[in-house]
Structure formats: C-alpha cells, structure tokens
C-alpha cells in the first residue's frame, strides 16, 4: 500500500478544537505510526496560532459571563462545599494562555511527525495571476482575505512538483474544491480520508467489520432512539431558552423518537481489536414543552413587569441532524465481534417541524 500524504488546513484544526478532536487524533496516530505522512504549510501554522488567540478571547468572554451568572442566579450552591471551587471561576490571562498553547502546538506537531513546509517555494506569479483573473480562491470578492489560502495552495502545488508526489489536501473551506490541480486532491474531508485509509489497511478485516456492522444495525437504531433522550431534551430547552419571547421553559423527555441513518463510514480500525463507524442520522421526535409566551405581552417600564403573558403547554415535533460514533469489539482470528456502544453524540442542527 502506497503511503498517503495528507496536507491539513487551518479550518480542520479549529473544527477539531486544535488538539482534542477525536478524528484529528486518529489522523495523527496514523502519522505517528508511519502509515501516512501529514504536513502543513508555515502559513497554516501561523494561522493556527492566530485562531488559537481568537478562540481564547472568546473563551475569556464566555467565562466572564458564566462567572457573573453562577455568582448571581447560582449563588445558592455556595452553601454546598462540593461547589465552592466554582466560586469564582479562574481568571483567563489571554497572553499567558496563548504562549502555553503555542508551546503545546509545537509539541503536538513534533510528537505526531507533522512536517511544516516552508511557503518560500510557492509561486508569487501564479498567485497574482489568479488574483488579477479572479480565479479561485479570489472569486467571491474577498480578495485580500484569500491570499493566505492562495499561497498555501501554491506551496502545496510546488511541493508536489518538486517531490513528484500526489497528495490529499483537507479543508473545510469550499474554495479549494474549485482549485483543480491533478497532483492535489481536495475532494475529501477529514472523515472521508480516515475512511479511505481504514479501508486500505486490510481489506479482509474491512469486509469482516462491515458484516458486524450490518448484523448490529438494529442495536444501533435502538441506541439512537433511546440512549440520547437527555441530549435531545437539553437541545430543545436551549433552543426555546434563546427565543426572546419564551421565558421560564420546562421541557419533558422526548417521545415517539425515530432515527433514520443517512451516511455511514468506517472511522477507525484497530486491527483484531476494535473499530468504529461515524454515522450521520436524522432523528425526529415529539416533546412536551411549557413556557411563558411573551409574544402578545407588553412590558411596563415604570413597574418593571410584563402584562398579557400567557403560560403555554404544548407538544412540539422536532428533527435533529446528528453525528455519532458506533464502537465495536472484534477478534478476526476467532471470527467474532459485537456492537459495544454509541458515543460522541453531536447535534448539528435542530429544527421544529
């Protein structure tokens, strides 16, 4: 099996929370074990550092808000010793944390054998040709903002020419889909790359684990329909809570839950031990909600109270698009395997229907 070479964009690191993302960890494990080569450009490296700083700034704002809430609405819990550590929340020093994260990033790249490619090899002429001809990634009018992407792509293109290699380039930026150089495949995301590599590790194992998955489909549906009721309930609660005309919401556990699996892919195979599937599914359910409806009420500023509000109890129906991971155990030698559990249940969208 030829060793795949994978270049990774900034957006992938950020979507995987930089160091903690499960799929990024799996990609890095493949790199560390010599199965693939993973690379980034120095432009991506600097963008990651910049995005880390931006995310720390957002985290600081979130912590300040949370600190204010728990010291206000949540102050009753100060009477319990087990909650005292949360009063107050620790302060966030942006610059100190940023320096620590930069050191962590450098260690992460070194430990996982991720090579940084110098963008000095890129072609300035090619980039400015695309700029003046409004070729991708300069098509949508955000020309100045696209220069880092253009130089990253040019660097990768030049690297493939110098090394006579074909590579994958994974990004969440759809602009790269329009940049078609034969030596650079931009058609895959992180999940599909892991799927490709997993399937190539050992075809015999892949056929075997696919059979185990097929035999376990009823258990997987059962998990989707029964094990994540609280997460569905919490998502509805937060959605209603964020509506300015709903106050004091109360939400029951969902009922009439139905799951429909849309997309599946082998996510990881630990030969002769375990494997996992990433599953995208649509889950529909009914749920009883109670809330104070302010849509027809008016606010008396002098008295500081609402008039005309109404307490509503109703059953709503929702559709949730979710990503989850089905984990399995197997022993290829004994031709045995079974479904273990579903985890990493992530609700990507929630709509009332």
């Amino acid at each position: 099996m030829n060793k795949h070479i994978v270049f990774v964009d900034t957006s992938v690191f950020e979507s995987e929370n930089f160091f903690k993302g499960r799929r990024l960890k799996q990609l890095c494990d493949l790199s560390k074990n010599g199965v693939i080569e993973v690379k980034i450009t120095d432009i991506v490296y600097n963008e990651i550092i910049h995005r880390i700083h931006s995310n720390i700034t957002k985290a600081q704002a979130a912590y300040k808000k949370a600190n204010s809430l728990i010291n206000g609405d949540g102050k009753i819990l100060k009477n319990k010793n087990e909650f005292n550590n949360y009063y107050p929340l620790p302060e966030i020093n942006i610059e100190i944390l940023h320096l620590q994260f930069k050191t962590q990033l450098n260690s992460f790249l070194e430990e996982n054998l991720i090579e940084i490619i110098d963008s000095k090899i890129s072609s300035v002429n090619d980039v400015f040709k695309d700029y003046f001809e409004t070729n991708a990634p300069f098509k949508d009018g955000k020309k100045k903002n696209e220069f880092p992407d253009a130089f990253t792509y040019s660097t990768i293109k030049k690297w493939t020419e110098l090394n006579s290699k074909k590579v994958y380039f994974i990004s969440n930026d759809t602009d790269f889909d329009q940049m078609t150089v034969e030596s650079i495949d931009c058609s895959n995301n992180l999940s599909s790359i892991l799927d490709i590599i997993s399937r190539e590790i050992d075809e015999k194992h892949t056929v075997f684990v696919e059979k185990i998955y097929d035999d376990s489909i009823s258990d997987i549906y059962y998990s989707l329909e029964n094990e994540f009721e609280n997460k569905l309930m919490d998502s509805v609660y937060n959605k209603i809570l964020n509506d300015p005309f709903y106050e004091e919401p109360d939400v029951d556990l969902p009922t009439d839950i139905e799951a429909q699996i849309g997309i599946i892919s082998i996510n990881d195979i630990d030969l002769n031990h375990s494997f996992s599937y990433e599953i995208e599914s649509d889950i529909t359910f009914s749920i009883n909600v109670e809330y104070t409806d302010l849509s027809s009420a008016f606010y008396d500023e002098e008295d500081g109270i609402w008039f005309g509000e109404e307490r509503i109890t109703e059953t709503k129906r929702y559709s949730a698009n979710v990503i989850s991971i089905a984990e399995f155990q197997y022993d290829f030698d004994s031709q045995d395997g079974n479904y273990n559990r579903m985890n990493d249940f992530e609700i990507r969208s929630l709509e009332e229907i």
Side-chain angles (χ1 to χ4, degrees), residues 238-291:
N238 290 329
K239 190 176 185 68
I240 293 175
L241 188 66
N242 289 327
D243 191 305
F245 294 112
Y246 290 174
E247 278 202 346
E248 300 176 339
D250 188 17
V251 180
D252 293 338
L253 284 172
T255 59
D256 303 323
I257 303 173
E258 297 179 358
Q260 181 65 49
I261 293 175
I263 299 174
I264 60 172
S265 60
I266 295 176
N267 196 55
D268 179 51
I269 297 179
D270 184 357
L271 292 182
N272 219 34
H273 176 64
S274 65
F275 64 93
S276 62
Y277 270 81
E278 182 172 88
I279 298 173
E280 179 181 347
S281 55
D282 290 310
I283 297 178
T284 56
F285 58 94
S286 300
I287 192 165
N288 293 325
V289 300
E290 184 180 355
Y291 57 90

Short mmCIF file of all heavy atoms in Angstrom, two decimals, residues 238-291:
data_model
loop_
_atom_site.label_atom_id
_atom_site.label_comp_id
_atom_site.label_asym_id
_atom_site.label_seq_id
_atom_site.Cartn_x
_atom_site.Cartn_y
_atom_site.Cartn_z
N ASN A 238 -32.52 24.54 25.26
CA ASN A 238 -31.66 25.67 24.90
C ASN A 238 -32.23 26.47 23.74
O ASN A 238 -32.10 27.70 23.69
CB ASN A 238 -30.26 25.17 24.56
CG ASN A 238 -29.52 24.66 25.78
OD1 ASN A 238 -29.72 25.15 26.88
ND2 ASN A 238 -28.66 23.66 25.59
N LYS A 239 -32.85 25.78 22.79
CA LYS A 239 -33.44 26.48 21.65
C LYS A 239 -34.57 27.39 22.11
O LYS A 239 -34.68 28.54 21.68
CB LYS A 239 -33.95 25.46 20.63
CG LYS A 239 -34.36 26.06 19.29
CD LYS A 239 -34.75 24.98 18.30
CE LYS A 239 -35.06 25.55 16.93
NZ LYS A 239 -33.87 26.09 16.26
N ILE A 240 -35.43 26.86 22.99
CA ILE A 240 -36.54 27.67 23.50
C ILE A 240 -36.02 28.79 24.40
O ILE A 240 -36.50 29.92 24.35
CB ILE A 240 -37.53 26.77 24.26
CG1 ILE A 240 -38.21 25.81 23.27
CG2 ILE A 240 -38.58 27.59 25.00
CD1 ILE A 240 -39.12 24.81 23.92
N LEU A 241 -35.01 28.47 25.20
CA LEU A 241 -34.44 29.47 26.12
C LEU A 241 -33.87 30.66 25.36
O LEU A 241 -33.91 31.80 25.84
CB LEU A 241 -33.35 28.82 26.96
CG LEU A 241 -32.77 29.65 28.11
CD1 LEU A 241 -33.83 29.89 29.17
CD2 LEU A 241 -31.59 28.92 28.74
N ASN A 242 -33.34 30.44 24.16
CA ASN A 242 -32.74 31.52 23.38
C ASN A 242 -33.76 32.32 22.59
O ASN A 242 -33.39 33.30 21.93
CB ASN A 242 -31.69 30.94 22.42
CG ASN A 242 -30.46 30.47 23.15
OD1 ASN A 242 -30.08 31.04 24.17
ND2 ASN A 242 -29.83 29.40 22.67
N ASP A 243 -35.02 31.90 22.61
CA ASP A 243 -36.06 32.67 21.93
C ASP A 243 -36.50 33.82 22.84
O ASP A 243 -36.88 33.59 23.99
CB ASP A 243 -37.26 31.77 21.62
CG ASP A 243 -38.26 32.44 20.69
OD1 ASP A 243 -38.72 33.55 21.03
OD2 ASP A 243 -38.56 31.87 19.63
N PRO A 244 -36.44 35.07 22.36
CA PRO A 244 -36.73 36.21 23.25
C PRO A 244 -38.18 36.25 23.74
O PRO A 244 -38.48 36.96 24.71
CB PRO A 244 -36.42 37.43 22.36
CG PRO A 244 -36.53 36.93 20.95
CD PRO A 244 -36.09 35.50 21.01
N PHE A 245 -39.09 35.52 23.10
CA PHE A 245 -40.49 35.55 23.51
C PHE A 245 -40.88 34.37 24.39
O PHE A 245 -42.03 34.23 24.77
CB PHE A 245 -41.40 35.60 22.28
CG PHE A 245 -41.27 36.87 21.49
CD1 PHE A 245 -40.71 36.85 20.22
CD2 PHE A 245 -41.67 38.09 22.02
CE1 PHE A 245 -40.57 38.02 19.49
CE2 PHE A 245 -41.54 39.26 21.30
CZ PHE A 245 -40.99 39.24 20.03
N TYR A 246 -39.92 33.51 24.69
CA TYR A 246 -40.19 32.38 25.57
C TYR A 246 -39.43 32.61 26.87
O TYR A 246 -38.25 32.90 26.87
CB TYR A 246 -39.70 31.06 24.95
CG TYR A 246 -40.48 30.58 23.75
CD1 TYR A 246 -40.05 29.46 23.04
CD2 TYR A 246 -41.63 31.22 23.32
CE1 TYR A 246 -40.75 28.99 21.94
CE2 TYR A 246 -42.34 30.77 22.22
CZ TYR A 246 -41.90 29.65 21.53
OH TYR A 246 -42.59 29.20 20.44
N GLU A 247 -40.13 32.45 27.99
CA GLU A 247 -39.48 32.56 29.29
C GLU A 247 -39.85 31.36 30.16
O GLU A 247 -40.90 30.74 29.98
CB GLU A 247 -39.90 33.86 29.99
CG GLU A 247 -39.13 35.08 29.52
CD GLU A 247 -39.17 36.20 30.54
OE1 GLU A 247 -40.00 36.13 31.47
OE2 GLU A 247 -38.38 37.15 30.42
N GLU A 248 -38.96 31.07 31.09
CA GLU A 248 -39.17 30.02 32.07
C GLU A 248 -39.61 28.70 31.41
O GLU A 248 -40.64 28.13 31.76
CB GLU A 248 -40.22 30.46 33.11
CG GLU A 248 -39.80 31.71 33.87
CD GLU A 248 -40.90 32.19 34.81
OE1 GLU A 248 -42.07 31.80 34.58
OE2 GLU A 248 -40.59 32.91 35.75
N PRO A 249 -38.82 28.21 30.45
CA PRO A 249 -39.23 26.97 29.78
C PRO A 249 -39.07 25.74 30.68
O PRO A 249 -38.20 25.69 31.55
CB PRO A 249 -38.28 26.90 28.59
CG PRO A 249 -37.06 27.65 29.03
CD PRO A 249 -37.55 28.74 29.93
N ASP A 250 -39.92 24.77 30.44
CA ASP A 250 -39.82 23.48 31.10
C ASP A 250 -40.05 22.42 30.02
O ASP A 250 -41.03 22.52 29.27
CB ASP A 250 -40.87 23.36 32.20
CG ASP A 250 -40.67 22.11 33.04
OD1 ASP A 250 -39.57 21.54 32.99
OD2 ASP A 250 -41.62 21.70 33.74
N VAL A 251 -39.14 21.46 29.91
CA VAL A 251 -39.17 20.51 28.80
C VAL A 251 -39.14 19.08 29.35
O VAL A 251 -38.34 18.75 30.22
CB VAL A 251 -37.95 20.74 27.86
CG1 VAL A 251 -37.99 19.74 26.72
CG2 VAL A 251 -37.95 22.16 27.33
N ASP A 252 -40.02 18.24 28.81
CA ASP A 252 -40.05 16.83 29.20
C ASP A 252 -39.09 16.02 28.33
O ASP A 252 -38.56 16.52 27.34
CB ASP A 252 -41.46 16.26 29.05
CG ASP A 252 -42.44 16.86 30.04
OD1 ASP A 252 -41.98 17.38 31.08
OD2 ASP A 252 -43.65 16.83 29.76
N LEU A 253 -38.92 14.76 28.69
CA LEU A 253 -38.15 13.85 27.83
C LEU A 253 -38.90 13.62 26.52
O LEU A 253 -40.14 13.59 26.50
CB LEU A 253 -37.93 12.51 28.53
CG LEU A 253 -36.86 12.48 29.63
CD1 LEU A 253 -36.91 11.13 30.34
CD2 LEU A 253 -35.47 12.73 29.05
N PRO A 254 -38.17 13.49 25.41
CA PRO A 254 -38.84 13.30 24.11
C PRO A 254 -39.52 11.94 24.02
O PRO A 254 -39.15 10.97 24.70
CB PRO A 254 -37.69 13.41 23.11
CG PRO A 254 -36.47 13.06 23.88
CD PRO A 254 -36.71 13.53 25.27
N THR A 255 -40.53 11.87 23.16
CA THR A 255 -41.25 10.63 22.89
C THR A 255 -41.35 10.43 21.38
O THR A 255 -40.98 11.32 20.60
CB THR A 255 -42.65 10.66 23.50
OG1 THR A 255 -43.38 11.77 22.93
CG2 THR A 255 -42.60 10.80 25.01
N ASP A 256 -41.84 9.28 20.96
CA ASP A 256 -42.04 8.97 19.53
C ASP A 256 -40.75 9.21 18.74
O ASP A 256 -40.77 9.80 17.65
CB ASP A 256 -43.17 9.82 18.93
CG ASP A 256 -44.48 9.63 19.67
OD1 ASP A 256 -44.74 8.49 20.10
OD2 ASP A 256 -45.22 10.61 19.82
N ILE A 257 -39.62 8.77 19.29
CA ILE A 257 -38.33 9.02 18.65
C ILE A 257 -38.14 8.04 17.50
O ILE A 257 -38.31 6.83 17.65
CB ILE A 257 -37.18 8.87 19.67
CG1 ILE A 257 -37.39 9.81 20.85
CG2 ILE A 257 -35.84 9.15 19.00
CD1 ILE A 257 -36.40 9.60 21.98
N GLU A 258 -37.76 8.59 16.34
CA GLU A 258 -37.48 7.76 15.17
C GLU A 258 -36.16 8.22 14.55
O GLU A 258 -35.96 9.42 14.34
CB GLU A 258 -38.60 7.85 14.14
CG GLU A 258 -39.94 7.33 14.65
CD GLU A 258 -41.04 7.47 13.61
OE1 GLU A 258 -40.75 8.02 12.53
OE2 GLU A 258 -42.18 7.05 13.89
N ALA A 259 -35.28 7.27 14.25
CA ALA A 259 -33.98 7.61 13.66
C ALA A 259 -33.91 7.08 12.23
O ALA A 259 -34.43 6.00 11.93
CB ALA A 259 -32.85 7.01 14.49
N GLN A 260 -33.28 7.86 11.38
CA GLN A 260 -33.04 7.45 10.00
C GLN A 260 -31.57 7.69 9.69
O GLN A 260 -31.12 8.84 9.63
CB GLN A 260 -33.93 8.22 9.02
CG GLN A 260 -33.77 7.83 7.57
CD GLN A 260 -34.22 6.40 7.30
OE1 GLN A 260 -35.30 6.01 7.69
NE2 GLN A 260 -33.39 5.62 6.64
N ILE A 261 -30.80 6.63 9.48
CA ILE A 261 -29.38 6.77 9.20
C ILE A 261 -29.19 7.17 7.74
O ILE A 261 -29.74 6.53 6.84
CB ILE A 261 -28.63 5.45 9.49
CG1 ILE A 261 -28.65 5.18 11.00
CG2 ILE A 261 -27.18 5.51 9.00
CD1 ILE A 261 -28.04 3.86 11.40
N GLY A 262 -28.42 8.24 7.52
CA GLY A 262 -28.21 8.73 6.17
C GLY A 262 -26.84 8.39 5.62
O GLY A 262 -26.71 7.86 4.52
N ILE A 263 -25.79 8.66 6.38
CA ILE A 263 -24.42 8.46 5.90
C ILE A 263 -23.64 7.68 6.95
O ILE A 263 -23.69 8.01 8.13
CB ILE A 263 -23.72 9.81 5.62
CG1 ILE A 263 -24.48 10.59 4.54
CG2 ILE A 263 -22.27 9.59 5.19
CD1 ILE A 263 -23.94 11.98 4.30
N ILE A 264 -22.92 6.67 6.51
CA ILE A 264 -22.06 5.92 7.42
C ILE A 264 -20.68 5.78 6.78
O ILE A 264 -20.55 5.73 5.56
CB ILE A 264 -22.62 4.52 7.75
CG1 ILE A 264 -22.77 3.68 6.47
CG2 ILE A 264 -23.93 4.62 8.49
CD1 ILE A 264 -23.12 2.24 6.72
N SER A 265 -19.66 5.71 7.60
CA SER A 265 -18.31 5.45 7.09
C SER A 265 -17.48 4.83 8.19
O SER A 265 -17.62 5.16 9.36
CB SER A 265 -17.64 6.75 6.60
OG SER A 265 -17.53 7.69 7.64
N ILE A 266 -16.62 3.89 7.78
CA ILE A 266 -15.68 3.33 8.75
C ILE A 266 -14.75 4.45 9.22
O ILE A 266 -14.16 5.16 8.42
CB ILE A 266 -14.85 2.19 8.12
CG1 ILE A 266 -15.76 1.01 7.74
CG2 ILE A 266 -13.77 1.70 9.09
CD1 ILE A 266 -15.03 -0.10 7.01
N ASN A 267 -14.66 4.58 10.52
CA ASN A 267 -13.93 5.71 11.06
C ASN A 267 -12.54 5.33 11.56
O ASN A 267 -11.61 6.11 11.47
CB ASN A 267 -14.74 6.32 12.20
CG ASN A 267 -14.28 7.70 12.56
OD1 ASN A 267 -14.23 8.56 11.70
ND2 ASN A 267 -13.93 7.90 13.81
N ASP A 268 -12.43 4.12 12.07
CA ASP A 268 -11.14 3.71 12.64
C ASP A 268 -11.14 2.20 12.82
O ASP A 268 -12.14 1.62 13.23
CB ASP A 268 -10.92 4.40 13.99
CG ASP A 268 -9.61 3.99 14.63
OD1 ASP A 268 -8.57 4.06 13.95
OD2 ASP A 268 -9.62 3.59 15.81
N ILE A 269 -10.01 1.55 12.50
CA ILE A 269 -9.86 0.12 12.74
C ILE A 269 -8.56 -0.11 13.51
O ILE A 269 -7.49 0.26 13.05
CB ILE A 269 -9.82 -0.69 11.43
CG1 ILE A 269 -11.12 -0.56 10.65
CG2 ILE A 269 -9.56 -2.16 11.73
CD1 ILE A 269 -11.12 -1.32 9.33
N ASP A 270 -8.71 -0.67 14.69
CA ASP A 270 -7.55 -1.14 15.46
C ASP A 270 -7.51 -2.64 15.23
O ASP A 270 -8.30 -3.40 15.81
CB ASP A 270 -7.73 -0.81 16.94
CG ASP A 270 -6.52 -1.20 17.77
OD1 ASP A 270 -5.58 -1.77 17.19
OD2 ASP A 270 -6.53 -0.95 18.98
N LEU A 271 -6.63 -3.08 14.33
CA LEU A 271 -6.69 -4.45 13.81
C LEU A 271 -6.81 -5.49 14.91
O LEU A 271 -6.06 -5.50 15.88
CB LEU A 271 -5.46 -4.73 12.95
CG LEU A 271 -5.37 -3.96 11.62
CD1 LEU A 271 -4.14 -4.38 10.86
CD2 LEU A 271 -6.63 -4.16 10.79
N ASN A 272 -7.80 -6.39 14.71
CA ASN A 272 -8.04 -7.53 15.59
C ASN A 272 -8.44 -7.11 17.01
O ASN A 272 -8.32 -7.90 17.95
CB ASN A 272 -6.83 -8.46 15.66
CG ASN A 272 -7.24 -9.92 15.68
OD1 ASN A 272 -8.23 -10.29 15.07
ND2 ASN A 272 -6.48 -10.73 16.38
N HIS A 273 -8.90 -5.88 17.16
CA HIS A 273 -9.27 -5.43 18.50
C HIS A 273 -10.59 -4.65 18.49
O HIS A 273 -11.55 -5.04 19.14
CB HIS A 273 -8.16 -4.58 19.11
CG HIS A 273 -8.50 -4.00 20.44
ND1 HIS A 273 -8.73 -4.79 21.55
CD2 HIS A 273 -8.68 -2.72 20.85
CE1 HIS A 273 -9.02 -4.01 22.58
NE2 HIS A 273 -9.00 -2.76 22.18
N SER A 274 -10.63 -3.54 17.76
CA SER A 274 -11.84 -2.70 17.78
C SER A 274 -11.94 -1.92 16.47
O SER A 274 -10.98 -1.80 15.71
CB SER A 274 -11.80 -1.74 18.97
OG SER A 274 -10.73 -0.81 18.82
N PHE A 275 -13.11 -1.38 16.23
CA PHE A 275 -13.32 -0.48 15.10
C PHE A 275 -14.51 0.40 15.42
O PHE A 275 -15.27 0.16 16.37
CB PHE A 275 -13.54 -1.24 13.79
CG PHE A 275 -14.78 -2.08 13.73
CD1 PHE A 275 -15.97 -1.57 13.22
CD2 PHE A 275 -14.76 -3.39 14.17
CE1 PHE A 275 -17.11 -2.35 13.16
CE2 PHE A 275 -15.90 -4.18 14.12
CZ PHE A 275 -17.09 -3.65 13.61
N SER A 276 -14.66 1.46 14.64
CA SER A 276 -15.79 2.38 14.86
C SER A 276 -16.31 2.89 13.53
O SER A 276 -15.58 2.94 12.53
CB SER A 276 -15.37 3.55 15.75
OG SER A 276 -14.36 4.32 15.13
N TYR A 277 -17.58 3.24 13.53
CA TYR A 277 -18.24 3.85 12.39
C TYR A 277 -18.71 5.25 12.78
O TYR A 277 -19.23 5.45 13.89
CB TYR A 277 -19.47 3.04 11.98
CG TYR A 277 -19.22 1.95 10.96
CD1 TYR A 277 -18.71 0.71 11.34
CD2 TYR A 277 -19.51 2.15 9.62
CE1 TYR A 277 -18.50 -0.29 10.42
CE2 TYR A 277 -19.30 1.15 8.69
CZ TYR A 277 -18.80 -0.07 9.09
OH TYR A 277 -18.59 -1.06 8.16
N GLU A 278 -18.52 6.20 11.88
CA GLU A 278 -19.14 7.50 12.05
C GLU A 278 -20.48 7.48 11.33
O GLU A 278 -20.56 7.10 10.16
CB GLU A 278 -18.26 8.61 11.48
CG GLU A 278 -18.87 10.00 11.69
CD GLU A 278 -17.90 11.11 11.30
OE1 GLU A 278 -17.89 11.49 10.11
OE2 GLU A 278 -17.17 11.59 12.17
N ILE A 279 -21.51 7.87 12.02
CA ILE A 279 -22.87 7.77 11.50
C ILE A 279 -23.53 9.15 11.52
O ILE A 279 -23.52 9.84 12.55
CB ILE A 279 -23.71 6.79 12.35
CG1 ILE A 279 -23.12 5.38 12.28
CG2 ILE A 279 -25.17 6.79 11.91
CD1 ILE A 279 -23.77 4.39 13.20
N GLU A 280 -24.07 9.56 10.39
CA GLU A 280 -24.90 10.76 10.33
C GLU A 280 -26.35 10.32 10.22
O GLU A 280 -26.69 9.51 9.36
CB GLU A 280 -24.53 11.65 9.15
CG GLU A 280 -25.40 12.89 9.05
CD GLU A 280 -25.06 13.77 7.86
OE1 GLU A 280 -23.99 13.55 7.25
OE2 GLU A 280 -25.86 14.67 7.54
N SER A 281 -27.20 10.83 11.07
CA SER A 281 -28.59 10.41 11.06
C SER A 281 -29.51 11.59 11.34
O SER A 281 -29.10 12.61 11.90
CB SER A 281 -28.83 9.31 12.11
OG SER A 281 -28.40 9.74 13.39
N ASP A 282 -30.75 11.44 10.92
CA ASP A 282 -31.80 12.41 11.22
C ASP A 282 -32.75 11.76 12.22
O ASP A 282 -33.28 10.66 11.98
CB ASP A 282 -32.56 12.81 9.96
CG ASP A 282 -31.70 13.65 9.03
OD1 ASP A 282 -31.11 14.63 9.52
OD2 ASP A 282 -31.61 13.33 7.84
N ILE A 283 -32.97 12.42 13.33
CA ILE A 283 -33.81 11.89 14.39
C ILE A 283 -35.01 12.82 14.56
O ILE A 283 -34.85 14.03 14.76
CB ILE A 283 -33.04 11.77 15.71
CG1 ILE A 283 -31.89 10.77 15.55
CG2 ILE A 283 -33.95 11.34 16.84
CD1 ILE A 283 -31.04 10.61 16.78
N THR A 284 -36.21 12.28 14.45
CA THR A 284 -37.43 13.05 14.69
C THR A 284 -38.04 12.59 16.00
O THR A 284 -37.96 11.41 16.37
CB THR A 284 -38.43 12.88 13.54
OG1 THR A 284 -38.71 11.49 13.36
CG2 THR A 284 -37.88 13.45 12.25
N PHE A 285 -38.67 13.53 16.70
CA PHE A 285 -39.25 13.19 17.99
C PHE A 285 -40.29 14.25 18.40
O PHE A 285 -40.28 15.38 17.90
CB PHE A 285 -38.17 13.09 19.07
CG PHE A 285 -37.36 14.35 19.26
CD1 PHE A 285 -37.69 15.28 20.23
CD2 PHE A 285 -36.24 14.60 18.46
CE1 PHE A 285 -36.95 16.43 20.40
CE2 PHE A 285 -35.48 15.75 18.62
CZ PHE A 285 -35.83 16.67 19.60
N SER A 286 -41.17 13.83 19.29
CA SER A 286 -42.14 14.74 19.89
C SER A 286 -41.68 15.05 21.31
O SER A 286 -41.02 14.24 21.96
CB SER A 286 -43.53 14.10 19.93
OG SER A 286 -43.99 13.79 18.63
N ILE A 287 -42.07 16.24 21.79
CA ILE A 287 -41.64 16.61 23.13
C ILE A 287 -42.63 17.62 23.71
O ILE A 287 -43.09 18.53 23.02
CB ILE A 287 -40.21 17.19 23.10
CG1 ILE A 287 -39.64 17.31 24.50
CG2 ILE A 287 -40.15 18.51 22.35
CD1 ILE A 287 -38.13 17.52 24.52
N ASN A 288 -43.00 17.43 24.97
CA ASN A 288 -43.91 18.35 25.65
C ASN A 288 -43.10 19.50 26.26
O ASN A 288 -42.12 19.27 26.98
CB ASN A 288 -44.68 17.63 26.75
CG ASN A 288 -45.64 16.60 26.20
OD1 ASN A 288 -46.23 16.80 25.14
ND2 ASN A 288 -45.82 15.50 26.92
N VAL A 289 -43.49 20.72 25.95
CA VAL A 289 -42.80 21.90 26.47
C VAL A 289 -43.81 22.83 27.12
O VAL A 289 -44.97 22.92 26.71
CB VAL A 289 -42.03 22.64 25.35
CG1 VAL A 289 -41.00 21.74 24.72
CG2 VAL A 289 -42.98 23.17 24.29
N GLU A 290 -43.33 23.49 28.14
CA GLU A 290 -44.14 24.50 28.83
C GLU A 290 -43.31 25.76 28.94
O GLU A 290 -42.13 25.71 29.28
CB GLU A 290 -44.57 24.00 30.21
CG GLU A 290 -45.49 24.97 30.94
CD GLU A 290 -45.91 24.44 32.31
OE1 GLU A 290 -45.56 23.30 32.63
OE2 GLU A 290 -46.56 25.19 33.05
N TYR A 291 -43.92 26.91 28.66
CA TYR A 291 -43.16 28.16 28.69
C TYR A 291 -44.12 29.33 28.85
O TYR A 291 -45.34 29.21 28.63
CB TYR A 291 -42.35 28.34 27.40
CG TYR A 291 -43.18 28.31 26.13
CD1 TYR A 291 -43.73 29.48 25.60
CD2 TYR A 291 -43.42 27.10 25.48
CE1 TYR A 291 -44.50 29.44 24.44
CE2 TYR A 291 -44.19 27.06 24.33
CZ TYR A 291 -44.73 28.23 23.81
OH TYR A 291 -45.50 28.18 22.68
#
